[in-house]
Amino acid sequence: MKRRRRTAYRRWQAAEKKYFRDRAHPDRQENPDIVIKTYLAYKEANKMSSRKIIGIRIEFHKPQIESSRDDPAALFRLTYELLCREKIPKELPSGSEGLELAESFADFFTAKVEKIYDTIKKETAIRKVSSTKVPDEW
């Protein structure tokens, strides 16, 4: 498979090199047909190599996907690898990390509730003060 992919890539590279060389040639003004022909050859080689490389990748990954058909976790890991995303840890964090995480969340949550409680307490105190009537004699 590597050989076929490399061959397709080299054909595309050779066509690209020829196109850019002909495009930069000083006679291109006098004979534009050469540049057009090499451009069309370059585009065709690009299409063919892209199709061939995609076909080779499909051939390579198809057995891997079929082998993990019954295991959703393995299929999920494989798709993440194919999409070049971060690797998913295979193991869960240890109990001590989980305990520390739970305690830090409990502390955060308690602090948040206390902050909300204090805010409500201040707002009700302000409302009570503003609702009291000031005597007219002052």
Side-chain angles (χ1 to χ4, degrees), residues 56-86:
I56 291 167
R57 286 181 181 161
I58 289 171
E59 282 179 31
F60 178 76
H61 293 298
K62 195 172 187 176
Q64 292 176 335
I65 293 171
E66 287 177 356
S67 68
S68 61
R69 179 180 292 191
D70 298 330
D71 186 11
L75 184 62
F76 187 75
R77 247 184 254 114
L78 180 65
T79 54
Y80 254 62
E81 287 175 15
L82 291 176
L83 295 173
C84 300
R85 297 201 177 159
E86 292 180 17

Side-chain angles (χ1 to χ4, degrees), residues 1 18 25 40 44 49 60 66-67 72-73 78 85 96 131:
M1 279 194 239
K18 186 173 188 323
H25 197 272
L40 294 175
E44 186 63 30
S49 65
F60 178 76
E66 287 177 356
S67 68
L78 180 65
R85 297 201 177 159
S96 63
S131 67

Side-chain angles (χ1 to χ4, degrees), residues 122-132:
K122 286 178 186 176
E123 286 180 8
T124 54
I126 291 171
R127 285 184 194 157
K128 284 181 183 177
V129 169
S130 65
S131 67
T132 57

